[in-house]
Amino acid sequence: MKILKLRFGNLYLVKMSNRTIAKFACVVILLAGSGVLVTSCAQTKTEKRYDVNSSALSPDYDKPVIVGRIGSDEITESSGIAASQCQPGVLWTHNDSGDDAYIFAINLKGDHLGTWLVSGARNRDWEDIVAYKDPAGTCYLYIGDIGNNKGERSEQRVYRVKEPTASRDSKMTSKKNAGQTEPSEALIFKYPETPYDAETLMAHPESGDIYVLTKRIDGPVIVFKIRPLFGESAAVTAERIAEISLPAIPNGLLTGGAISPDAKHVVVCDYSAAYVLNLGTAANFDDIWKQAPVAVDLGDRKQGEAVTFGSDGRSIIATSEKKSSPIIEARRK
């Protein structure tokens, strides 16, 4: 996908060619405060445009800093990112569709810490990854095979696999000498109405509930909640619980997200920025979806599809697709 990002005052206009955006007829965008009117009429696999209002960035985060670059030539489409809860400083990522079922461990500098083939899994359209630590202290990785660009998949999968041990001394430096994970388990789910495309997977750090957030060009993000019934042969029906409208146009083009380790914050992203939702004093976690997302600057990303919280919850970490992707960190003040 090619992206050209233009700035008009405090607004961003991004021009892209992206196979993941559904067909639409015409988008008319009035750039608030800039006096510029942009009209874009397009079809699937042609150029699209959208803008993000960056005039009201969250005061809670410092400016983004590039802290490293992904060193492995085999990580070409970092579509998801997760910070280990058992191995400090270890990040997990994977490629988008087109790759086999590989996961990669890196650190914040981008040093490669190992490659593993996920046993019993298939990469149809992997879009996001979550690091989850269960009540017994065992760490798992959840991998979201949730992409559905053409709307043809009636069922999606989330794979759960025990987190491998990563090391800078690892001899599993590439796919040719990759390690093999323990057998994975699949959670099969379907949506209650029509199929959706999605690129955002989350897991609540305490309850274990799974959340899938849709990627839409024609409306706000839809939040689905799923019981974590891994290993069942029958598909679980996801529960539609909320909608989120991003301060961007379009307002539902979500490409990644995560829940903070203390379950008090949610971060999501699209191609231009991150957006944070804060639980505040609410006791019920699902009240967080009622909060207004506030933008966080992630700097310039070629194709930003991955975002997460650091293992301590004090920073937002993001990557981009393409080789040698920058690893971006925005620290909470």
Side-chain angles (χ1 to χ4, degrees):
M1 180 178 72
K2 295 180 180 178
I3 296 179
L4 174 64
K5 183 181 289 187
L6 306 176
R7 183 168 181 171
F8 296 87
N10 286 326
L11 296 163
Y12 286 105
L13 174 68
V14 177
K15 184 177 181 182
M16 70 182 76
S17 175
N18 186 349
R19 61 184 173 80
T20 66
I21 300 178
K23 179 177 179 180
F24 69 104
C26 184
V27 176
V28 180
I29 303 171
L30 179 60
L31 301 180
S34 68
V36 179
L37 181 66
V38 179
T39 303
S40 173
C41 297
Q43 304 261 335
T44 302
K45 297 186 179 179
T46 59
E47 292 182 337
K48 280 77 173 180
R49 303 181 181 192
Y50 72 93
D51 70 89
V52 170
N53 187 340
S54 63
S55 61
L57 295 174
S58 170
D60 298 331
Y61 288 86
D62 290 325
K63 291 183 178 180
V65 176
I66 295 177
V67 293
R69 287 188 177 273
I70 294 177
S72 171
D73 289 339
E74 293 181 335
I75 305 175
T76 57
E77 295 183 284
S78 179
S79 188
I81 190 79
S84 173
Q85 294 297 304
C86 285
Q87 303 177 83
V90 173
L91 303 173
W92 292 95
T93 189
H94 58 84
N95 286 320
D96 205 334
S97 58
D99 197 7
D100 208 338
Y102 290 102
I103 54 174
F104 307 91
I106 59 175
N107 60 21
L108 268 176
K109 293 182 179 180
D111 299 325
H112 193 61
L113 306 179
T115 302
W116 287 264
L117 185 65
V118 180
S119 177
R122 176 188 176 191
N123 183 350
R124 291 189 63 182
D125 197 353
W126 286 11
E127 293 292 356
D128 209 355
I129 187 169
V130 175
Y132 174 72
K133 187 175 183 178
D134 74 6
T138 303
C139 276
Y140 293 91
L141 298 174
Y142 293 179
I143 305 160
D145 193 358
I146 54 177
N148 193 17
N149 298 325
K150 297 180 180 180
E152 296 174 346
R153 298 179 62 184
S154 59
E155 296 179 348
Q156 278 71 34
R157 281 172 167 76
V158 177
Y159 292 105
R160 178 176 69 181
V161 64
K162 190 173 290 187
E163 182 179 321
T165 300
S167 170
R168 288 198 65 171
D169 299 325
S170 173
K171 296 180 180 180
M172 296 173 289
T173 56
S174 69
K175 295 176 184 177
K176 291 182 179 179
N177 58 357
Q180 183 115 347
T181 70
E182 294 191 18
S184 64
E185 295 179 290
L187 164 65
I188 306 170
F189 75 93
K190 60 184 178 180
Y191 297 105
E193 309 117 2
T194 183
Y196 289 98
D197 185 26
E199 296 190 5
T200 304
L201 177 73
M202 302 179 183
H204 192 279
E206 297 171 1
S207 69
D209 289 332
I210 292 172
Y211 296 85
V212 173
L213 282 65
T214 63
K215 180 183 182 182
R216 302 176 67 198
I217 194 75
D218 58 348
V221 177
I222 303 173
V223 181
F224 287 95
K225 186 175 181 178
I226 308 168
R227 293 178 295 160
L229 298 178
F230 288 92
E232 299 287 336
S233 57
V236 177
T237 300
E239 177 187 4
R240 179 173 177 156
I241 62 169
E243 290 186 355
I244 301 174
S245 184
L246 301 180
I249 300 175
N251 63 342
L253 201 67
L254 206 62
T255 61
I259 300 172
S260 64
D262 63 2
K264 299 295 184 182
H265 312 278
V266 162
V267 63
V268 296
C269 73
D270 59 13
Y271 292 113
S272 283
Y275 309 88
V276 174
L277 296 84
N278 300 309
L279 186 59
T281 59
N284 182 2
F285 174 77
D286 283 338
D287 286 338
I288 202 167
W289 310 116
K290 302 175 184 177
Q291 310 308 311
V294 183
V296 175
D297 184 16
L298 290 181
D300 188 19
R301 297 174 298 154
K302 289 183 178 180
Q303 185 176 338
E305 296 202 6
V307 70
T308 192
F309 286 102
S311 59
D312 62 358
R314 298 293 304 172
S315 65
I316 292 172
I317 299 169
T319 60
S320 175
E321 295 198 357
K322 311 301 180 185
K323 286 186 179 181
S324 301
S325 162
I327 301 172
I328 300 166
E329 184 177 39
R331 297 290 301 177
R332 194 159 63 193
K333 296 177 181 178

